[in-house]
Amino acid sequence: MNAAALQLYCIVAFLALAALSVAAAFRPRASAGLYIANAVVAATAFAFSFAALFKGGDPALVHLPIGIPWLGAHFRIDALSSFFLSVINFGAATASLFAVGYGRREPEPSRILPFYPAFLAGMNLVLIADDAFTFLVSWEFMSLTSFALVIAHHHERENRRAAFVYLTMACFGTLSLLFVFGLLAGADGGYVFNDIRSRDLGAGLGGAVMLLALLGAGSKAGLAPVHVWLPLAHPAAPSHVSALMSGVMTKVAVYAFIRIAFDLVGISDWSIAAPVMLIGGATAVLGILHALMERDIKRLLAYSTIENIGVIFAMLGFAMAFQANGMAVQAALAFVAALFHVANHSIFKGLLFFGAGSMLNATGVRDIEQMGGLIHRMRKLAPLFLVGCVAISALPPLNGFASEWLAFQAVLQSPDLPQLGLKILSPMVGALLALAAALAAACFVRLYGVAFLGRPRSDHAIEAHDPDGWSLGVIGLMAALCVIFGIVPGIVLDALAPVATLMLGTPLAVQSGNDWLSVIPVNATQSSYNPLLLFFFIALSSFLAASVSRLTASHDYRRSPAWACGFEPAGAQTQYSGASFSQPIRNTLGRIAFRAAETVDMPPPGDQQPARFTLRLRDLVWDAIYGRIASVINAISDKLNALQFLTIRRYLSLVFATLVLMLLGLAAWS
Amino acid sequence: MVLAERFLFQGFQMLLVLALAPLLTGIVRKLKARLTRRRGASIFQPYRDLFRLMRKEAVIADNASWIFRSAPYLIFAATWVAAALTPTFRTGLMFSWSADLIVIVALLGSARFFLALAGMDVGTAFGGIGSSREMMIAAFAEPAMLLAVFTVALVAGSTELSNVAAFMRSDAVGLRVSLALAMFALIMVAIAENARIPVDNPATHLELTMVHEAMVLEYSGRHLAMIEFASFLKLLLYVSLIGAVFVPWGLAEDGAGAMRNALGVLLYLGKLIAAACLLALFETATAKMRVFRVPDYLGAALMLGFLGALLLFAGGRF
């Protein structure tokens, strides 16, 4: 049986689970069983797609006679789909396992359980769709099921708003993709991807398609300025769904962009690469700056997803620039860096969201300013969460740095580009990526420092305890993967070779044959990186340092109250808070990005009133685009409101006038 | 045989940086004292400080976690590895290919990450203030440094420090505007990263102006020794880095004879002393700036780095 058929069986299994959940969700204790079943199906799907990625060979095709009569539904699995299928089903399996423990605390499981497998099925369907109709239907199915999960906890007003914004933006994204496929299929309607591939679009139309695809896929992925729904919607869902939406669903959007840009249209023009690079870099910085200002842990993680998506798109932009100029090796480097980051981000973002879910369960709050000192109470979670923080901050020797390093190597290849515009843009995007990486480190020091370190900042944090074994096991597995991918990135890069070959024609040089498992992207004199040795060196030298100090130094140690320059440590409120931690960056970069304004209202001496500090941050993207659009729509609907109160006579004449106008239009057309 | 020799040199360099790092700081302190007409402690005082700290008992705050106790070793290890992989007296060390310039920058980033976490662990206001400011400085310094690295890497056609140093010593370099800009950017970053005047004052004990000192305020005994040692190593690393890239003369090549290597070590010592003099002079002559002017200062470094990179990306010949 071919790979596409196997994948379809898994999707049918997901849908069957969804139906079963409708019946079973009302029974108490059904949730654990259902989540285990989801995990089993997802793991099977992962195994199939992973095997397909390794086996390689020709794409597997399936044609089913459902959907539009003359078209049917086409499914296909090639290296690109199987890579993304692996990422997505791995994320789905881990999220389901996490939910086995986490889902027990769900107050209304029947609002989550049926939609959860349907959402997984939707994502899988998008990845194997092989005609425009199936693709769009699957895409919309994925959007709607995730919308249902976002609005699951609809009692909170905030969540209702999040779901509304999400639905609006999802419609907008699908609309853009609808135009994309309309343009791609042309007048004679060749909706099957193979027909689209064989069409020659020409530069102008190709550019338009690319821009629309960037808009459509970008709105699902979270590219600025169409990212606004993401930090609202991702946190609104339960944590295992947040992990899926952030770590995995955004990757489906990345897939859609790669499929359209690299496969269906093909890269021939460099000019489209420039906006992709620039938007990617700008999104990365904007996303992480937002994350730095955020105190809601899940929203912080959602903003950090925006940053990572920015990095991925910037790399795809570089790949497009190189490919358009026939620099295949460099294009493969940038492309593989993007894909590697896709895999890495899905791992550490899953880890962090699971951790956030456990913290939310343990403390009952999402506000990091009310946590603090969790390292003493969530003893097992603390080191695992730290691994995630180090990995996402792009620090060696973990996996986030490995992909970031490849990205910088790709940037360093860009002086060979012939176009002056791209040459000037490249170091700029490189600087933006470096800035984003440095800010990410600050952001996650802040997150970990405020939530886990210090003293408990509220009574909620004092009660905290470690999560259940399922959750810890899954989080531990992902932490282990962060380390493994970090210290032997060569094996992952080699696994990506078929994808690069399929999309660009050239893979990255084979890494597994290198001495000491080094990574050598282009050639050894140019650059090489050996995280395995580095890991070994750091371990060895910290061991040496520790043993020297054990052998020679004094062993005495004494616990005492904190020194703090002799000040008596006052209440926990005197600790540095998250808001104060980000203040230096808020006062510098925040002034530009958010028009951050602080006012201190100090009463005159002798006055009994308290001093007040107010901080105003503006979301400029929201104000400039969405606020305006919303106010225009409101104004128009106010005007049109009068139409609601007409007499029947007037309504009839309106209908008549419309009919006449349309007939006239039709007559003029033909 | 060649392999054994390379291993030997790698081991020697690891010990050499350990041995020389406190000396460099000692010389800077002594010179600064002389320049302000004080006698100053002996240049070997940092060694004595380290030994004394090692012998003292460590006082640990009640609330400190395992991060507080393990961070000093990790910080020390990451800095030591970075310093040992930067060419000091010869190129072509055994493992120099395992980490290029970008990795060395990032290794220091890892060390800083843990230092900042350690600062927040006890839960005092001072630790937090230090961590927060350190990360702000890093947020500006790291991109500036990477842009300088880009410039250097593009000129040399490699991010590998050994290859960069070998290229910089050849005649192919010539005088380049971009390299000069990168050098200024790198020096400015080095000053900020090592917590020197005008960004931070290594000798300050005024709480509100501290950055580095505020983070390590709670440390004592052997833990403080590790952190102090790491900061000595970091200063040495930056001096070797700038030396290897911009003043590479005297570096022994791979496979050079014993005399040549000995000369390399001597010249390296000379470079350290010269750098110490310049640093002491500069620190004595400038005043510390307010914390919120640091972004301007580092922004200038960033712009210099960017300009250098841009010249290369766009023009290629500068």
Side-chain angles (χ1 to χ4, degrees):
Chain A
M1 198 181 298
N2 79 24
L6 288 174
Q7 216 65 44
L8 275 173
Y9 280 116
C10 293
I11 290 169
V12 171
F14 276 131
L15 292 175
L17 268 176
L20 183 67
S21 307
V22 174
F26 292 99
R27 302 165 70 95
R29 284 204 291 275
S31 106
L34 285 171
Y35 277 123
I36 290 178
N38 275 314
V40 169
V41 178
T44 318
F46 168 72
F48 287 153
S49 48
F50 201 59
L53 181 64
F54 264 89
K55 209 174 70 185
D58 288 335
L61 298 166
V62 168
H63 180 214
L64 293 182
I66 46 176
I68 300 182
W70 64 90
L71 186 64
H74 296 75
F75 300 100
R76 177 171 182 267
I77 289 193
D78 55 13
L80 183 68
S81 336
S82 43
F83 165 69
F84 276 94
L85 280 170
S86 312
V87 169
I88 273 138
N89 286 312
F90 180 77
T94 48
S96 311
L97 284 180
F98 173 77
V100 174
Y102 180 79
R104 278 188 207 133
R105 289 163 167 266
E106 177 58 47
E108 293 168 298
S110 54
R111 289 188 182 280
I112 310 275
L113 277 169
F115 296 111
Y116 180 77
F119 174 47
L120 297 182
M123 290 196 290
N124 271 300
L125 271 173
V126 174
L127 296 176
I128 63 172
D130 194 34
D131 63 71
F133 182 74
T134 316
F135 185 93
L136 283 174
V137 169
S138 320
W139 183 269
E140 202 56 10
F141 185 65
M142 170 181 87
S143 299
L144 287 178
T145 43
S146 52
F147 163 75
L149 291 167
V150 168
I151 202 154
H153 296 162
H154 63 107
H155 298 297
E156 290 162 47
R157 197 165 161 273
E158 215 175 289
N159 290 353
R160 289 202 297 275
R161 173 167 177 260
F164 173 69
V165 175
Y166 176 40
L167 195 63
T168 318
M169 290 304 291
C171 289
F172 170 76
T174 312
L175 187 70
S176 309
L177 287 180
L178 198 67
F179 283 130
V180 166
F181 286 114
L183 287 176
L184 280 175
D188 24 297
Y191 288 112
V192 185
F193 282 177
N194 248 338
D195 298 345
I196 296 177
R197 274 185 206 107
S198 55
R199 275 193 75 208
D200 184 28
L201 282 172
L205 203 56
V209 166
M210 293 272 205
L211 282 182
L212 279 170
L214 190 62
L215 208 58
S219 75
K220 190 59 105 202
L223 278 187
V226 279
H227 66 279
V228 285
W229 63 274
L230 195 149
L232 300 172
H234 286 189
S239 296
H240 58 294
V241 179
S242 312
L244 275 181
M245 291 183 76
S246 246
V248 169
M249 190 177 72
T250 52
K251 306 302 159 18
V252 177
V254 173
Y255 163 83
F257 182 72
I258 295 178
R259 178 63 80 197
I260 294 170
F262 285 80
D263 187 18
L264 298 183
V265 182
I267 310 294
S268 53
D269 186 11
W270 65 269
S271 59
I272 197 72
V276 179
M277 284 157 69
L278 192 63
I279 290 177
T283 302
V285 173
L286 188 72
I288 199 66
L289 271 177
H290 267 294
L292 255 170
M293 305 299 138
E294 198 51 64
R295 53 192 284 179
D296 176 332
I297 181 167
K298 286 175 79 176
R299 203 176 296 162
L300 184 155
L301 292 176
Y303 272 123
S304 130
T305 295
I306 296 179
E307 181 231 336
N308 284 284
I309 288 294
V311 173
I312 292 168
F313 270 86
M315 277 305 104
L316 288 177
F318 273 98
M320 292 164 84
F322 290 129
Q323 183 73 3
N325 288 300
M327 298 160 69
V329 179
Q330 291 85 340
L333 171 58
F335 189 71
V336 165
L339 292 188
F340 190 23
H341 203 67
V342 163
N344 288 339
H345 178 245
S346 75
I347 294 171
F348 48 63
K349 192 46 66 69
L351 190 167
L352 292 172
F353 259 116
F354 297 157
S358 310
M359 286 149 79
L360 170 61
N361 261 353
T363 59
V365 287
R366 271 168 34 182
D367 183 0
I368 54 172
E369 310 275 24
Q370 294 188 41
M371 295 180 184
L374 294 183
I375 197 168
H376 300 290
R377 287 160 192 85
M378 305 183 84
R379 286 165 175 277
K380 291 181 186 135
L381 181 68
L384 301 175
F385 199 82
L386 181 63
V387 171
C389 287
V390 175
I392 203 170
S393 306
L395 294 174
L398 297 190
N399 60 348
F401 177 70
S403 41
E404 195 87 16
W405 184 80
L406 280 179
F408 287 131
Q409 294 301 331
V411 175
L412 279 172
Q413 305 292 329
S414 50
D416 293 340
L417 287 167
Q419 292 86 8
L420 189 63
L422 288 181
K423 280 184 183 182
I424 294 176
L425 197 60
S426 314
M428 221 157 90
V429 176
L432 286 176
L433 293 186
L435 181 62
L439 288 173
C443 174
F444 283 92
V445 165
R446 171 177 177 266
L447 170 60
Y448 199 82
V450 174
F452 275 94
L453 305 181
R455 288 169 283 160
R457 289 157 199 276
S458 74
D459 292 343
H460 303 292
I462 295 174
E463 314 271 294
H465 51 83
D466 258 326
D468 57 293
W470 289 95
S471 311
L472 273 179
V474 174
I475 295 173
L477 171 73
M478 306 195 80
L481 276 179
C482 284
V483 177
I484 293 171
F485 279 22
I487 60 178
V488 277
I491 49 167
V492 189
L493 297 181
D494 280 351
L496 294 174
V499 189
T501 317
L502 180 76
M503 289 293 123
L504 307 167
T506 329
L508 199 64
V510 180
Q511 299 295 332
S512 51
N514 294 339
D515 293 346
W516 308 76
L517 294 172
S518 292
V519 179
I520 302 173
V522 185
N523 63 48
T525 51
Q526 217 167 62
S527 54
S528 60
Y529 168 46
N530 193 322
L532 188 63
L533 269 180
L534 209 61
F535 185 73
F536 172 72
F537 285 156
I538 294 176
L540 183 73
S541 35
S542 45
F543 173 74
L544 271 179
S547 25
V548 164
S549 99
R550 187 161 288 266
L551 288 176
T552 62
S554 147
H555 290 216
D556 299 343
Y557 83 90
R558 178 159 53 92
R559 289 279 183 178
S560 79
W563 154 236
C565 270
F567 289 96
E568 186 78 15
Q573 295 305 316
T574 60
Q575 298 178 86
Y576 233 52
S577 68
S580 36
F581 188 91
S582 46
Q583 193 250 7
I585 292 174
R586 195 170 62 222
N587 265 2
T588 48
L589 293 171
R591 286 242 172 99
I592 308 166
F594 311 117
R595 302 270 166 81
E598 293 172 357
T599 42
V600 181
D601 187 14
M602 190 67 76
D607 197 337
Q608 295 289 310
Q609 289 200 334
R612 286 194 187 284
F613 170 83
T614 39
L615 168 68
R616 275 218 338 268
L617 294 178
R618 281 178 56 197
D619 188 341
L620 295 181
V621 173
W622 184 271
D623 291 353
I625 304 176
Y626 298 90
R628 295 233 172 108
I629 293 178
S631 62
V632 167
I633 290 178
N634 278 340
I636 293 176
S637 36
D638 273 350
K639 288 269 184 304
L640 294 183
N641 197 24
L643 288 181
Q644 280 197 14
F645 311 106
L646 301 184
T647 60
I648 188 84
R649 219 159 18 95
R650 294 206 170 152
Y651 276 128
L652 283 176
S653 47
L654 265 182
V655 169
F656 184 68
T658 316
L659 190 65
V660 168
L661 265 178
M662 285 173 84
L663 285 174
L664 278 177
L666 202 63
W669 176 276
S670 55
Chain B
M1 189 55 213
V2 178
L3 201 68
E5 191 188 291
R6 284 185 171 182
F7 259 112
L8 205 68
F9 277 119
Q10 181 72 64
F12 177 65
Q13 161 143 355
M14 288 189 84
L15 295 179
L16 184 74
V17 290
L18 275 192
L20 288 183
L23 184 67
L24 177 65
T25 305
I27 296 174
V28 175
R29 284 186 190 160
K30 179 80 178 175
L31 284 171
K32 276 177 76 175
R34 297 300 299 178
L35 283 169
T36 46
R37 306 203 60 147
R38 287 182 288 123
R39 282 188 45 207
S42 142
I43 55 171
F44 300 108
Q45 190 60 37
Y47 296 97
R48 294 182 197 140
D49 290 346
L50 286 180
F51 282 122
R52 156 144 324 169
L53 283 172
M54 290 294 262
R55 280 205 310 274
K56 288 217 165 205
E57 71 166 354
V59 182
I60 297 174
D62 290 328
N63 189 43
S65 70
W66 51 267
I67 291 219
F68 187 81
R69 278 179 293 158
S70 48
Y73 300 105
L74 279 175
I75 295 163
F76 174 75
T79 322
W80 188 20
V81 169
L85 293 174
T86 315
T88 52
F89 68 100
R90 92 195 285 276
T91 59
L93 294 162
M94 182 61 208
F95 292 115
S96 61
W97 45 265
S98 66
D100 65 356
L101 255 169
I102 299 175
V103 179
I104 287 177
V105 176
L107 264 180
L108 295 176
S110 297
R112 176 173 40 233
F113 188 88
F114 280 98
L115 186 59
L117 281 185
M120 298 189 76
D121 190 30
V122 174
T124 61
F126 289 122
I129 211 173
S131 304
S132 155
R133 289 175 176 180
E134 176 83 0
M135 292 321 278
M136 182 264 285
I137 292 173
F140 289 94
E142 236 174 64
M145 175 111 181
L146 264 176
L147 281 171
V149 167
F150 280 1
T151 311
V152 169
L154 287 176
V155 169
S158 171
T159 49
E160 215 62 60
L161 260 172
S162 265
N163 297 343
V164 171
F167 178 86
M168 291 294 174
R169 215 177 25 181
S170 67
D171 296 330
V173 193
L175 270 179
R176 284 171 188 258
V177 183
S178 54
L179 275 184
L181 293 174
M183 184 172 79
F184 276 114
L186 208 55
I187 290 174
M188 287 171 86
V189 169
I191 286 171
E193 289 271 9
N194 283 297
R196 315 300 302 191
I197 294 174
V199 174
D200 190 7
N201 186 351
T204 186
H205 288 286
L206 181 64
E207 296 87 353
L208 289 178
T209 59
M210 304 189 289
V211 180
H212 181 83
E213 290 295 312
M215 277 188 292
V216 304
L217 202 56
E218 296 296 327
Y219 274 113
S220 56
R222 53 184 183 274
H223 300 132
L224 185 60
M226 283 295 148
I227 286 185
E228 290 279 292
F229 210 158
S231 67
F232 299 158
L233 273 171
K234 195 170 172 187
L235 183 63
L236 182 90
L237 182 156
Y238 271 95
V239 172
S240 341
L241 184 70
I242 293 170
V245 175
F246 298 105
V247 216
W249 300 286
L251 281 177
E253 298 107 20
D254 196 11
M259 276 308 289
R260 191 70 192 72
N261 277 310
L263 187 66
V265 174
L266 275 181
L267 274 168
Y268 177 61
L269 270 175
K271 284 183 205 169
L272 286 186
I273 293 172
C277 294
L278 288 174
L279 182 61
L281 259 177
F282 178 73
E283 280 204 294
T284 326
T286 34
K288 190 188 165 310
M289 61 174 77
R290 286 171 57 219
V291 173
F292 287 107
R293 284 198 43 217
V294 172
D296 297 342
Y297 166 87
L298 284 169
L302 188 67
M303 280 302 125
L304 283 178
F306 186 60
L307 214 60
L310 203 60
L311 278 176
L312 277 182
F313 271 86
R317 291 233 146 265
F318 299 97

